[in-house]
């Protein structure tokens, strides 16, 4: 395995030192031809091209390894320190055994929480930061603010459930706004949709004339 690892590192160094993509592809082809079909000392995997790695989702996120789907630093990264030198000895008393088992239980709980947090990120593709930011920017400001406020509840939902949850809140918000508008129409004496449409057209026309008048006065 050490020999295989050495060959893989040699390949990565050679392609990284290549002056062009054509030269790197040539080195890769020679490397494949050399090791194809061999078992003893042969690399177990084909190392990725550097340009392939940089194009993978999450490659720009510091500390995330996209090909492994893992992180350099995990949640509670020093959790293993507490059990690194733990041993169960025949001379341990019952109290010592109970204490060590309790420490192991705490460690397993931390491991479960670590895995839960990692799966939360991976299942929602939150590591694809570029795509996530782009989708956020395409949303209306009020919907973006709502999504930010509702992030607290995302951990209790699956991705599909949370998406439906947000859509339901947005729908309810639009309905409340529409109800408030209809109540306003009733207060000012409007009783039909045709009257409401005429009111909105007159309102927009008045607003347009006010803005035009203000611009005219500012230029004068």
């Amino acid at each position: 395995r050490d020999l295989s690892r050495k060959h893989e590192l040699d390949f990565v160094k050679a392609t990284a030192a290549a002056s062009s993509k054509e030269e790197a592809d040539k080195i890769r082809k020679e490397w494949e031809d050399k090791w194809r079909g061999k078992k003893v000392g042969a690399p177990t995997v084909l190392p990725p091209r550097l340009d392939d790695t940089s194009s993978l989702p999450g490659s720009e996120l510091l500390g995330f390894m996209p090909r492994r789907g893992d992180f350099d630093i995990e949640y509670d990264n020093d959790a293993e320190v507490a059990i690194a030198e733990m041993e169960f000895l025949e001379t341990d008393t019952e109290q010592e055994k109970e204490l060590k088992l309790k420490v192991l239980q705490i460690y397993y709980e931390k491991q479960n929480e670590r895995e839960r947090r990692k799966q939360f990120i991976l299942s929602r593709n939150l590591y694809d930061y570029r795509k996530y930011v782009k989708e956020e920017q395409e949303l209306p400001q009020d919907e973006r603010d709502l999504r930010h406020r509702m992030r607290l509840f995302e951990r209790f939902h699956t991705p599909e459930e949370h998406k439906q949850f947000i859509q339901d809140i947005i729908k309810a918000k639009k309905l409340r706004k529409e109800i408030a508008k209809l109540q306003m129409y009733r207060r000012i004496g409007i009783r039909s949709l045709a009257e409401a449409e005429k009111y909105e057209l007159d309102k927009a026309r008045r607003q347009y004339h006010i803005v035009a008048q203000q611009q005219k006065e500012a230029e004068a």
Side-chain angles (χ1 to χ4, degrees), residues 2-38:
D2 291 340
L3 188 58
S4 299
R5 178 65 175 166
K6 178 181 180 302
H7 293 317
E8 291 171 7
L9 290 176
D10 290 342
F11 170 81
V12 172
K13 290 178 182 179
T15 53
S19 58
S20 64
K21 184 177 184 299
E22 290 74 18
E23 184 179 351
D25 289 340
K26 181 181 178 181
I27 294 173
R28 185 182 184 87
K29 187 176 185 306
E30 293 175 351
W31 192 86
E32 290 177 346
D33 294 339
K34 179 179 179 180
W35 295 108
R36 185 181 289 115
K38 295 186 178 181

Side-chain angles (χ1 to χ4, degrees), residues 56-74:
L56 290 173
S59 58
E60 71 279 1
L61 188 63
L62 184 64
F64 180 69
M65 297 173 284
R67 290 188 69 86
R68 290 179 57 187
D70 212 341
F71 299 87
D72 285 336
I73 300 178
E74 300 275 12

Side-chain angles (χ1 to χ4, degrees), residues 76-90:
D76 204 346
N77 203 54
D78 297 327
E80 286 76 12
V81 174
I83 63 170
E85 299 182 3
M86 181 186 294
E87 290 183 307
F88 283 86
L89 305 174
E90 294 181 358

